[in-house]
Amino acid sequence: MTEEQAPQPWQDPALPVPERVRLLLAAMTTEEKVAQLGSRWVGNDMQESSDEAPSTDPEETLNVAPMQDVFAASGTVPLSEASRYGLGHLTRVYGSVPLTVEQGAAEVVRQQRVVVGNSRLGIPALVHEECLTGFTAFGATVYPAAIAWGATFEPELVERMAASIGRDMAALGIHQGLSPVLDVVRDYRWGRVEETIGEDPYLVALLGAGYVRGLQSAGVIATLKHFAGYSASRGARNHGPVSMGRRELLDVILPTFETAVREAGVGSVMNSYSDVDGVPAGADPWLLTEVLRDQWGFTGTVVSDYWAVPFLATMHRVAADTADAGAQALAAGIDVELPDTLGFGPNLIGQVPEELIDRAAGRLLTQKIELGLLDAGWTPEGSVENAGQVDLDSPANRALAREMAEKSIILLDPGSALPLDPELRTVAVVGPCAADPRTFMGCYAFPNHVLPRYPEAGLGIQVPTAVDALRQELAATVVHEPGCSVTGDDRSGFAAAVAAARDADVCVAMVGDLAGLFGHGTSGEGCDADELRLPGLQGELLQELLNTGTPVVVVVVSGRPYALGDVAGRAAGLVQAFMPGEEGGSAIAGVLTGRVQPGAKLPVQIPKTPGGQPGTYLQPVLGAENSGVSNLDPTPLFPFGHGRSYTTFEVDDLRISDTEVPTDGEFGVTVRVRNTGERAGDEVVQLYLRDVLAQVTRPVKQLTGFARVPLEPGEAKDVRFRVHTDRTAFTGRDLRRIVEPGDLEILVGSSAADLPCRGTVTLTGEIRETGRNRVLLTPVEVEKA
């Protein structure tokens, strides 16, 4: 509704939102309602577009457009035609091509003016953008990837980061962010491990909920991805089928999403591309309606993953054509089709009951009203009036990115060389990740996601390399030789790298990933691995460096864990940095020199050998223990939750409030954690439970609570967990979620393999089915001992 038109009743903010939605739907034609279910991606340069997007070399488009049949059908309708009856969403106005803030804001105004001016009722569109490692836009801060958030074990820090991202986005007229990813890692070979928070549902749930709260505190709708099962595909193949029973789906995959819905009030959910046991998520009413809405009480919008609606026809082949795909998706519970309208167009009219169209349109219009887009006097210009004040890579953003990076870098093993001796004379810094800042960033960071198609634009931000950072922190002479690239078979740099290492007091070898899209990287969407060896020649380079006799500190900068069994025991120190973002170089240097006290923990395990998948810790006895029934040993090199420090900690004095608890009760678990070293540091105290006997196989242990605890030297604190018996619930043989009587082992310590505090609680009474309001969280308190 433009400012020139007379106000309508549904524009009155004094009326309740449901009443405004009812009035608006009553005023709309069926064509106008259907138009709200679609979207338009004007700036998409993944293929030729008839809108204003620039053309690119076809060879360059292959790295982001492997499904050309569907992509070719997108982008053929001008925005003016696409919005003739209105439009639901505008797709990635800022995130598609390199635009300054001023250019992006002007484009938002231009596109909104087309949408508002072309339709009878003048309803604006929601603007959505990606924000997996920060706002995916030119010149915006690149924070650590989500797998690094998991390493912090600090939900409050993730919430602060998301709030900062949200404030920048909201000031630029953006209403919805496509993050966080709440997929639980099931196979490390999957390319999108970097986008996940880790392999434990509770860790993913708490940090994901923190991200949702942060983003939505700024007035930007968060979007949970990818609902559900996407990360568990056969062979870790992107979009691959998921061979998973409903029990595993209910107990491992869905709790992360349920927590974000019920505890954080998320506003949007995006469907998974994959099928689970033959049923694509985008056409599954059990998942999108019965579970999400009827059981959990979700009231927001379900948006399709990009092109997921036509994929029902072209890839899953469960729909006869795109029109049939649209009808199936709408009936299942998808409300808005992204990024362009293919299945949700006018062909829906007459193909589906009107109430389904009203249902979806009403959900989206509710969000538009709640965001103020349908208030009288709203204008496209007003939505970006503060854009000129936004510094997308402000000092405050960079400070937060630095804190995130420093708290996410994991000291696997200090060995004999860490922290680096300040008296060193010469340090050789070797490896392809030492001086390429792109290796610090995830696949959805703008420099890796878009800028490879615009090499003249540079990175858009300042990203100090690890070599530069070490030169600033060390008095020693720092010599750099890359040795090899992340990928490829060029060994020509080996000799110089080995010579530099041989002549140095210490060698720092930085190896790992370079993120990209659809095979144009070693990590990221469509960049799956068939095994967990370091990519390219990097493993061979490490062996030659280790053979020099010079102490070699190995730093892995990656989006997934790689097998380090051939390195451990020979390296003089081991560090894992999961794509630490634009401040990663400084953070890595700080950990190596000891300026930064490492306190992060592994959100995924580090395997010994490159095969033998899957290797996640959440396994029953026959999947987690070397029981002698197989010659393959699943024991990891470093377990879930592991991380060392330059001080030492002791966790002891276990106190359990009750040794017998009814199946509808709760109990308290308290331990004391003490810093027994000479430096201040953080310890992550971790509570695990083990169900001794159950009607179905249960994990050997499962994380049930945690707290990151800062401690001064000699200081001790009590950590108290309050565990409701709902936290022990699982899905039984009849697919009901139950709490069973019996013994529970209580395990508390510093990792899944370092659990010095052990006790038992017996649950008494009858088997109890948990209700829809089951307790999802384990409250924790920390105070002076």
Side-chain angles (χ1 to χ4, degrees):
M1 179 66 65
T2 65
E3 60 271 28
E4 294 84 7
Q5 294 174 308
Q8 298 295 318
W10 42 266
Q11 291 183 285
D12 184 358
L15 291 177
V17 171
E19 177 63 11
R20 294 175 69 183
V21 172
R22 187 190 67 81
L23 290 169
L24 180 52
L25 285 173
M28 299 173 75
T29 66
T30 303
E31 288 82 2
E32 288 168 339
K33 295 173 187 176
V34 167
Q36 291 298 312
L37 314 185
S39 58
R40 182 70 187 94
W41 191 352
V42 172
N44 179 15
D45 74 344
M46 292 185 178
Q47 81 285 312
E48 300 294 341
S49 170
S50 62
D51 269 304
E52 292 78 359
S55 298
T56 56
D57 187 314
E59 291 298 316
E60 290 298 313
T61 69
L62 291 177
N63 69 331
V64 286
M67 296 153 286
Q68 295 291 340
D69 53 347
V70 169
F71 284 15
S74 301
T76 58
V77 179
L79 180 60
S80 56
E81 176 63 21
S83 61
R84 180 170 51 164
Y85 295 107
L87 193 67
H89 275 238
L90 289 169
T91 297
R92 297 185 65 178
V93 178
Y94 293 88
S96 302
V97 297
L99 299 175
T100 65
V101 167
E102 294 76 16
Q103 290 171 330
E107 184 63 10
V108 166
V109 171
R110 186 191 74 80
Q111 292 189 32
Q112 288 281 30
R113 277 290 168 195
V114 173
V115 172
V116 169
N118 279 4
S119 57
R120 178 177 68 92
L121 296 175
I123 299 173
L126 288 189
V127 180
H128 75 258
E129 296 284 353
E130 296 281 5
C131 51
L132 287 161
T133 63
F135 177 24
T136 303
F138 185 65
T141 302
V142 177
Y143 295 91
I147 192 67
W149 313 347
T152 71
F153 275 72
E154 192 168 343
E156 297 79 11
L157 178 58
V158 173
E159 183 172 345
R160 284 196 286 123
M161 176 194 69
S164 179
I165 294 167
R167 286 191 294 270
D168 286 346
M169 294 173 73
L172 299 186
I174 299 161
H175 310 106
Q176 185 162 339
L178 305 186
S179 188
V181 169
L182 294 191
D183 296 308
V184 176
V185 175
R186 302 301 282 163
D187 191 325
Y188 306 137
R189 297 172 299 175
W190 190 48
R192 304 188 82 165
V193 166
E194 65 170 60
E195 297 177 41
T196 74
I197 298 171
E199 67 182 59
D200 179 82
Y202 192 59
L203 176 67
V204 175
L206 258 63
L207 272 69
Y211 187 99
V212 169
R213 281 190 292 268
L215 197 72
Q216 295 192 163
S217 72
V220 176
I221 297 169
T223 307
L224 308 183
K225 303 188 329 188
H226 304 87
F227 192 65
Y230 189 28
S231 58
S233 58
R234 292 182 201 157
R237 188 175 186 274
N238 193 42
H239 291 210
V242 176
S243 301
M244 176 182 288
R246 189 153 287 188
R247 183 175 296 105
E248 184 178 356
L249 189 72
L250 289 168
D251 285 353
V252 179
I253 302 299
L254 295 187
T256 60
F257 296 93
E258 183 181 3
T259 302
V261 169
R262 290 183 45 208
E263 299 292 336
V266 72
S268 189
V269 171
M270 175 180 280
N271 75 287
S272 164
Y273 284 128
S274 295
D275 74 79
V276 179
D277 195 22
V279 181
D284 189 354
W286 173 80
L287 184 67
L288 299 181
T289 298
E290 183 178 333
V291 171
L292 179 62
R293 295 191 184 275
D294 299 342
Q295 294 182 19
W296 298 349
F298 176 70
T299 59
T301 56
V302 176
V303 300
S304 79
D305 204 340
Y306 283 15
W307 298 289
V309 172
F311 286 171
L312 294 175
T314 63
M315 297 181 69
H316 291 293
R317 300 182 185 178
V318 298
D321 51 30
T322 300
D324 183 27
Q328 289 193 38
L330 185 71
I334 291 179
D335 301 309
V336 181
E337 182 182 8
L338 303 181
D340 279 304
T341 308
L342 294 178
F344 274 17
N347 51 266
L348 285 177
I349 300 174
Q351 296 294 314
V352 298
E354 185 92 9
E355 55 264 28
L356 290 182
I357 295 172
D358 286 356
R359 181 181 75 174
R363 291 166 179 166
L364 180 62
L365 292 172
T366 295
Q367 292 187 330
K368 290 187 175 184
I369 289 172
E370 290 173 341
L371 289 165
L373 272 69
L374 301 186
D375 291 351
W378 182 93
T379 65
E381 291 79 7
S383 71
V384 294
E385 63 183 355
N386 296 318
Q389 304 169 28
V390 175
D391 177 358
L392 288 180
D393 195 26
S394 67
N397 284 6
R398 293 196 72 104
L400 187 53
R402 186 178 309 116
E403 182 181 359
M404 283 288 302
E406 291 178 350
K407 287 189 171 182
S408 72
I409 294 172
I410 304 149
L411 179 62
L412 298 175
D413 183 1
S416 60
L418 294 179
L420 295 174
D421 187 339
E423 301 301 318
L424 292 170
R425 294 170 298 171
T426 304
V427 175
V429 182
V430 174
C433 297
D436 185 349
R438 297 175 302 158
T439 61
F440 296 161
M441 306 179 201
C443 125
Y444 270 81
F446 199 84
N448 283 342
H449 196 73
V450 174
L451 292 181
R453 302 192 294 280
Y454 299 88
E456 71 282 357
L459 296 178
I461 51 175
Q462 293 296 315
V463 188
T465 69
V467 173
D468 291 338
L470 282 169
R471 283 175 174 149
Q472 289 184 353
E473 298 214 21
L474 293 172
T477 298
V478 174
V479 179
H480 169 240
E481 291 289 345
C484 64
S485 300
V486 171
T487 59
D489 56 3
D490 183 0
R491 302 172 56 91
S492 61
F494 270 37
V498 169
R502 188 177 291 114
D503 293 341
D505 298 319
V506 167
C507 173
V508 175
M510 296 187 61
V511 294
D513 283 320
L514 176 60
L517 285 168
F518 301 113
H520 284 241
T522 59
S523 176
E525 185 172 3
C527 296
D528 311 315
D530 57 5
E531 62 177 3
L532 296 174
R533 299 181 196 276
L534 285 164
L537 298 176
Q538 295 178 94
E540 295 181 34
L541 176 63
L542 282 183
Q543 293 305 314
E544 294 206 16
L545 295 172
L546 291 167
N547 289 337
T548 63
T550 298
V552 178
V553 174
V554 177
V555 181
V556 182
V557 184
S558 64
R560 65 165 62 87
Y562 284 105
L564 299 177
D566 291 343
V567 176
R570 299 185 66 197
L574 281 173
V575 173
Q576 175 68 57
F578 285 116
M579 292 183 173
E582 66 180 32
E583 288 290 334
S586 173
I588 291 169
V591 167
L592 294 178
T593 62
R595 173 181 57 81
V596 173
Q597 170 70 290
K601 300 285 187 172
L602 283 172
V604 289
Q605 302 193 126
I606 303 292
K608 288 180 182 177
T609 60
Q613 291 294 300
T616 61
Y617 95 99
L618 204 61
Q619 303 284 342
V621 170
L622 290 177
E625 295 185 358
N626 188 18
S627 57
V629 298
S630 171
N631 62 310
L632 298 178
D633 183 358
T635 306
L637 180 62
F638 295 105
F640 175 83
H642 170 81
R644 299 285 301 277
S645 174
Y646 294 138
T647 188
T648 54
F649 301 97
E650 185 177 80
V651 180
D652 61 10
D653 192 17
L654 173 67
R655 286 153 277 166
I656 301 174
S657 63
D658 302 275
T659 57
E660 291 191 357
V661 179
T663 54
D664 62 351
E666 69 175 34
F667 56 93
V669 177
T670 303
V671 295
R672 180 183 59 202
V673 55
R674 183 186 302 277
N675 184 340
T676 56
E678 299 179 353
R679 288 189 57 175
D682 294 357
E683 177 63 298
V684 178
V685 178
Q686 301 164 44
L687 165 67
Y688 296 81
L689 297 182
R690 172 184 291 154
D691 196 340
V692 176
L693 178 67
Q695 61 180 256
V696 298
T697 60
R698 301 285 292 131
V700 169
K701 61 180 75 76
Q702 184 164 2
L703 184 70
T704 308
F706 62 88
R708 183 163 177 156
V709 183
L711 293 163
E712 295 297 319
E715 184 181 16
K717 292 181 180 178
D718 277 347
V719 181
R720 295 189 177 92
F721 299 98
R722 192 168 77 249
V723 184
H724 193 280
T725 53
D726 281 359
R727 299 287 292 117
T728 73
F730 62 90
T731 302
R733 294 189 182 187
D734 59 2
L735 296 182
R736 294 182 305 131
R737 182 174 275 112
I738 58 173
V739 177
E740 269 192 334
D743 289 346
L744 288 172
E745 288 190 33
I746 312 301
L747 312 168
V748 189
S750 300
S751 79
D754 182 9
L755 299 166
C757 298
R758 295 171 178 250
T760 303
V761 168
T762 301
L763 302 187
T764 62
E766 299 297 320
I767 293 176
R768 177 175 66 87
E769 183 175 2
T770 59
R772 294 183 177 181
N773 295 320
R774 69 188 177 100
V775 176
L776 299 172
L777 307 179
T778 302
V780 58
E781 299 175 352
V782 180
E783 60 182 35
K784 285 278 190 181

